[in-house]
Short mmCIF file of all heavy atoms in Angstrom, two decimals:
data_model
loop_
_atom_site.label_atom_id
_atom_site.label_comp_id
_atom_site.label_asym_id
_atom_site.label_seq_id
_atom_site.Cartn_x
_atom_site.Cartn_y
_atom_site.Cartn_z
N GLN A 138 96.54 97.96 64.19
CA GLN A 138 96.14 96.53 64.44
C GLN A 138 95.18 96.12 63.32
O GLN A 138 95.34 94.93 62.83
CB GLN A 138 95.45 96.46 65.78
CG GLN A 138 96.40 96.61 67.01
CD GLN A 138 95.62 96.54 68.28
OE1 GLN A 138 94.42 96.60 68.33
NE2 GLN A 138 96.38 96.35 69.33
N ASN A 139 94.28 96.96 62.88
CA ASN A 139 93.42 96.63 61.77
C ASN A 139 94.20 96.39 60.48
O ASN A 139 93.93 95.49 59.76
CB ASN A 139 92.34 97.69 61.54
CG ASN A 139 91.37 97.83 62.67
OD1 ASN A 139 91.09 96.81 63.32
ND2 ASN A 139 90.81 98.93 62.86
N ARG A 140 95.22 97.20 60.21
CA ARG A 140 96.01 97.07 59.00
C ARG A 140 96.78 95.73 59.15
O ARG A 140 96.87 94.96 58.16
CB ARG A 140 97.01 98.21 58.89
CG ARG A 140 96.35 99.50 58.36
CD ARG A 140 97.35 100.51 57.94
NE ARG A 140 98.26 100.92 59.02
CZ ARG A 140 97.96 101.97 59.80
NH1 ARG A 140 96.88 102.66 59.65
NH2 ARG A 140 98.83 102.27 60.76
N ALA A 141 97.29 95.39 60.32
CA ALA A 141 97.99 94.18 60.49
C ALA A 141 97.11 92.93 60.29
O ALA A 141 97.49 91.91 59.66
CB ALA A 141 98.64 94.09 61.90
N LEU A 142 95.86 93.15 60.84
CA LEU A 142 94.86 91.98 60.62
C LEU A 142 94.51 91.85 59.15
O LEU A 142 94.36 90.67 58.65
CB LEU A 142 93.64 92.25 61.45
CG LEU A 142 93.86 92.13 62.96
CD1 LEU A 142 92.52 92.52 63.67
CD2 LEU A 142 94.16 90.65 63.38
N ASP A 143 94.33 92.99 58.45
CA ASP A 143 94.01 92.95 57.06
C ASP A 143 95.15 92.26 56.30
O ASP A 143 94.91 91.36 55.43
CB ASP A 143 93.80 94.32 56.45
CG ASP A 143 92.53 94.93 56.99
OD1 ASP A 143 91.62 94.18 57.47
OD2 ASP A 143 92.43 96.20 56.98
N THR A 144 96.39 92.63 56.62
CA THR A 144 97.55 92.01 55.95
C THR A 144 97.62 90.54 56.30
O THR A 144 97.90 89.71 55.41
CB THR A 144 98.86 92.70 56.49
OG1 THR A 144 98.81 94.06 56.17
CG2 THR A 144 100.01 92.10 55.75
N MET A 145 97.36 90.19 57.52
CA MET A 145 97.31 88.78 57.93
C MET A 145 96.26 87.95 57.19
O MET A 145 96.47 86.84 56.69
CB MET A 145 97.19 88.62 59.46
CG MET A 145 97.26 87.23 59.94
SD MET A 145 97.01 87.08 61.73
CE MET A 145 98.42 88.19 62.32
N GLY A 146 95.06 88.62 57.09
CA GLY A 146 93.96 87.95 56.36
C GLY A 146 94.34 87.75 54.90
O GLY A 146 93.96 86.69 54.36
N THR A 147 94.92 88.79 54.29
CA THR A 147 95.34 88.58 52.85
C THR A 147 96.38 87.50 52.79
O THR A 147 96.32 86.64 51.85
CB THR A 147 95.97 89.89 52.41
OG1 THR A 147 95.00 90.95 52.55
CG2 THR A 147 96.41 89.81 50.93
N SER A 148 97.26 87.45 53.72
CA SER A 148 98.31 86.36 53.74
C SER A 148 97.70 84.99 53.84
O SER A 148 98.03 84.06 53.14
CB SER A 148 99.41 86.60 54.74
OG SER A 148 100.01 87.84 54.57
N LEU A 149 96.78 84.90 54.74
CA LEU A 149 96.07 83.63 55.01
C LEU A 149 95.25 83.19 53.77
O LEU A 149 95.24 82.05 53.43
CB LEU A 149 95.15 83.74 56.24
CG LEU A 149 95.83 83.84 57.61
CD1 LEU A 149 94.82 84.09 58.70
CD2 LEU A 149 96.65 82.60 57.88
N HIS A 150 94.60 84.16 53.14
CA HIS A 150 93.87 83.87 51.89
C HIS A 150 94.82 83.40 50.83
O HIS A 150 94.48 82.41 50.15
CB HIS A 150 93.12 85.17 51.44
CG HIS A 150 92.34 84.95 50.16
ND1 HIS A 150 91.19 84.22 50.13
CD2 HIS A 150 92.60 85.42 48.90
CE1 HIS A 150 90.72 84.13 48.82
NE2 HIS A 150 91.62 84.90 48.10
N THR A 151 95.97 84.04 50.70
CA THR A 151 96.90 83.63 49.68
C THR A 151 97.49 82.20 50.09
O THR A 151 97.56 81.35 49.19
CB THR A 151 98.11 84.59 49.70
OG1 THR A 151 97.60 85.93 49.42
CG2 THR A 151 99.15 84.20 48.62
N LEU A 152 97.75 81.98 51.33
CA LEU A 152 98.22 80.61 51.73
C LEU A 152 97.12 79.57 51.46
O LEU A 152 97.44 78.46 50.99
CB LEU A 152 98.60 80.65 53.17
CG LEU A 152 99.88 81.42 53.57
CD1 LEU A 152 100.05 81.46 55.08
CD2 LEU A 152 101.10 80.82 52.92
N ARG A 153 95.88 79.88 51.73
CA ARG A 153 94.79 78.99 51.48
C ARG A 153 94.67 78.66 50.03
O ARG A 153 94.50 77.45 49.61
CB ARG A 153 93.51 79.54 52.02
CG ARG A 153 92.35 78.55 51.96
CD ARG A 153 91.09 79.05 52.54
NE ARG A 153 90.67 80.26 51.94
CZ ARG A 153 89.54 80.91 52.35
NH1 ARG A 153 88.91 80.53 53.45
NH2 ARG A 153 89.22 82.06 51.72
N SER A 154 94.80 79.77 49.24
CA SER A 154 94.66 79.49 47.72
C SER A 154 95.88 78.68 47.31
O SER A 154 95.70 77.74 46.47
CB SER A 154 94.75 80.89 47.02
OG SER A 154 93.66 81.68 47.38
N GLN A 155 97.10 78.89 47.87
CA GLN A 155 98.24 78.06 47.45
C GLN A 155 98.01 76.64 47.88
O GLN A 155 98.39 75.73 47.16
CB GLN A 155 99.49 78.72 48.06
CG GLN A 155 99.92 80.04 47.41
CD GLN A 155 101.11 80.66 48.10
OE1 GLN A 155 101.62 80.15 49.06
NE2 GLN A 155 101.67 81.70 47.45
N ALA A 156 97.51 76.53 49.08
CA ALA A 156 97.25 75.15 49.62
C ALA A 156 96.24 74.37 48.78
O ALA A 156 96.45 73.21 48.43
CB ALA A 156 96.81 75.16 51.03
N GLU A 157 95.12 75.14 48.31
CA GLU A 157 94.18 74.51 47.43
C GLU A 157 94.81 74.10 46.14
O GLU A 157 94.54 73.02 45.60
CB GLU A 157 92.99 75.45 47.28
CG GLU A 157 92.16 75.65 48.54
CD GLU A 157 91.12 76.68 48.32
OE1 GLU A 157 91.12 77.32 47.19
OE2 GLU A 157 90.25 76.85 49.17
N LEU A 158 95.64 75.03 45.61
CA LEU A 158 96.33 74.69 44.32
C LEU A 158 97.26 73.48 44.47
O LEU A 158 97.22 72.63 43.63
CB LEU A 158 97.13 75.91 43.86
CG LEU A 158 97.89 75.78 42.61
CD1 LEU A 158 96.88 75.46 41.43
CD2 LEU A 158 98.73 77.03 42.25
N ILE A 159 97.98 73.45 45.60
CA ILE A 159 98.87 72.36 45.82
C ILE A 159 98.10 71.08 45.90
O ILE A 159 98.44 70.00 45.49
CB ILE A 159 99.76 72.62 47.07
CG1 ILE A 159 100.77 73.71 46.82
CG2 ILE A 159 100.51 71.37 47.55
CD1 ILE A 159 101.52 74.19 48.03
N GLY A 160 96.90 71.17 46.70
CA GLY A 160 96.08 69.98 46.87
C GLY A 160 95.60 69.48 45.57
O GLY A 160 95.54 68.22 45.25
N THR A 161 95.15 70.47 44.64
CA THR A 161 94.68 70.08 43.30
C THR A 161 95.78 69.38 42.53
O THR A 161 95.57 68.30 41.92
CB THR A 161 94.18 71.28 42.58
OG1 THR A 161 93.11 71.89 43.36
CG2 THR A 161 93.67 70.89 41.29
N GLU A 162 96.95 70.03 42.47
CA GLU A 162 98.14 69.38 41.84
C GLU A 162 98.47 68.05 42.35
O GLU A 162 98.84 67.11 41.69
CB GLU A 162 99.29 70.37 41.84
CG GLU A 162 99.07 71.70 41.08
CD GLU A 162 100.28 72.58 41.12
OE1 GLU A 162 101.17 72.29 42.02
OE2 GLU A 162 100.26 73.61 40.49
N THR A 163 98.43 67.91 43.73
CA THR A 163 98.80 66.65 44.37
C THR A 163 97.73 65.59 43.91
O THR A 163 98.19 64.45 43.64
CB THR A 163 98.82 66.84 45.91
OG1 THR A 163 99.75 67.82 46.25
CG2 THR A 163 99.17 65.50 46.52
N GLY A 164 96.48 65.98 43.86
CA GLY A 164 95.48 64.98 43.51
C GLY A 164 95.70 64.61 41.94
O GLY A 164 95.53 63.41 41.67
N GLU A 165 96.06 65.55 41.17
CA GLU A 165 96.32 65.18 39.72
C GLU A 165 97.58 64.24 39.68
O GLU A 165 97.60 63.36 38.92
CB GLU A 165 96.61 66.50 38.95
CG GLU A 165 95.37 67.37 38.80
CD GLU A 165 95.62 68.65 38.09
OE1 GLU A 165 96.82 68.92 37.84
OE2 GLU A 165 94.68 69.45 37.80
N GLN A 166 98.60 64.62 40.47
CA GLN A 166 99.78 63.71 40.45
C GLN A 166 99.42 62.39 40.95
O GLN A 166 99.96 61.32 40.43
CB GLN A 166 100.85 64.38 41.34
CG GLN A 166 101.39 65.68 40.85
CD GLN A 166 102.18 65.58 39.52
OE1 GLN A 166 102.74 64.51 39.21
NE2 GLN A 166 102.15 66.58 38.73
N LEU A 167 98.61 62.30 41.97
CA LEU A 167 98.23 60.93 42.49
C LEU A 167 97.46 60.18 41.42
O LEU A 167 97.58 58.89 41.25
CB LEU A 167 97.39 61.12 43.77
CG LEU A 167 98.10 61.55 45.05
CD1 LEU A 167 97.12 61.79 46.12
CD2 LEU A 167 99.08 60.53 45.42
N GLY A 168 96.59 60.91 40.71
CA GLY A 168 95.79 60.21 39.59
C GLY A 168 96.76 59.70 38.55
O GLY A 168 96.62 58.63 38.07
N LEU A 169 97.74 60.57 38.21
CA LEU A 169 98.75 60.16 37.22
C LEU A 169 99.52 58.93 37.71
O LEU A 169 99.81 57.96 36.96
CB LEU A 169 99.71 61.26 36.87
CG LEU A 169 99.02 62.46 36.15
CD1 LEU A 169 100.08 63.56 35.91
CD2 LEU A 169 98.58 61.99 34.70
N LEU A 170 99.87 58.91 38.95
CA LEU A 170 100.65 57.76 39.55
C LEU A 170 99.79 56.51 39.58
O LEU A 170 100.32 55.46 39.32
CB LEU A 170 101.10 58.12 41.00
CG LEU A 170 102.30 59.23 41.03
CD1 LEU A 170 102.52 59.55 42.56
CD2 LEU A 170 103.55 58.70 40.40
N GLN A 171 98.60 56.72 39.94
CA GLN A 171 97.67 55.51 39.91
C GLN A 171 97.50 54.97 38.53
O GLN A 171 97.51 53.76 38.27
CB GLN A 171 96.28 55.93 40.47
CG GLN A 171 96.34 56.19 41.98
CD GLN A 171 95.02 56.63 42.57
OE1 GLN A 171 94.07 56.92 41.74
NE2 GLN A 171 94.95 56.79 43.84
N ASP A 172 97.37 55.91 37.50
CA ASP A 172 97.25 55.45 36.12
C ASP A 172 98.57 54.77 35.67
O ASP A 172 98.48 53.79 34.98
CB ASP A 172 96.96 56.63 35.31
CG ASP A 172 96.72 56.26 33.81
OD1 ASP A 172 95.80 55.45 33.49
OD2 ASP A 172 97.53 56.70 33.00
N LEU A 173 99.67 55.32 36.14
CA LEU A 173 100.91 54.75 35.75
C LEU A 173 101.10 53.28 36.42
O LEU A 173 101.62 52.34 35.75
CB LEU A 173 102.09 55.64 36.17
CG LEU A 173 103.52 55.14 36.00
CD1 LEU A 173 103.70 54.92 34.39
CD2 LEU A 173 104.63 56.08 36.49
N ASP A 174 100.72 53.21 37.69
CA ASP A 174 100.76 51.93 38.38
C ASP A 174 99.90 50.91 37.57
O ASP A 174 100.25 49.79 37.41
CB ASP A 174 100.25 52.03 39.82
CG ASP A 174 101.22 52.73 40.67
OD1 ASP A 174 102.39 52.83 40.26
OD2 ASP A 174 100.85 53.26 41.73
N THR A 175 98.68 51.33 37.18
CA THR A 175 97.77 50.48 36.46
C THR A 175 98.45 50.01 35.14
O THR A 175 98.42 48.75 34.76
CB THR A 175 96.44 51.17 36.15
OG1 THR A 175 95.82 51.52 37.39
CG2 THR A 175 95.46 50.19 35.42
#
Side-chain angles (χ1 to χ4, degrees):
Q138 291 176 347
N139 289 334
R140 287 194 296 271
L142 289 174
D143 291 340
T144 302
M145 185 180 297
T147 302
S148 300
L149 290 175
H150 178 72
T151 302
L152 289 174
R153 185 174 63 183
S154 300
Q155 292 178 350
E157 291 176 353
L158 179 61
I159 292 173
T161 302
E162 292 179 352
T163 302
E165 293 176 354
Q166 294 293 332
L167 288 175
L169 292 174
L170 289 174
Q171 290 175 354
D172 183 60
L173 180 61
D174 288 341
T175 301

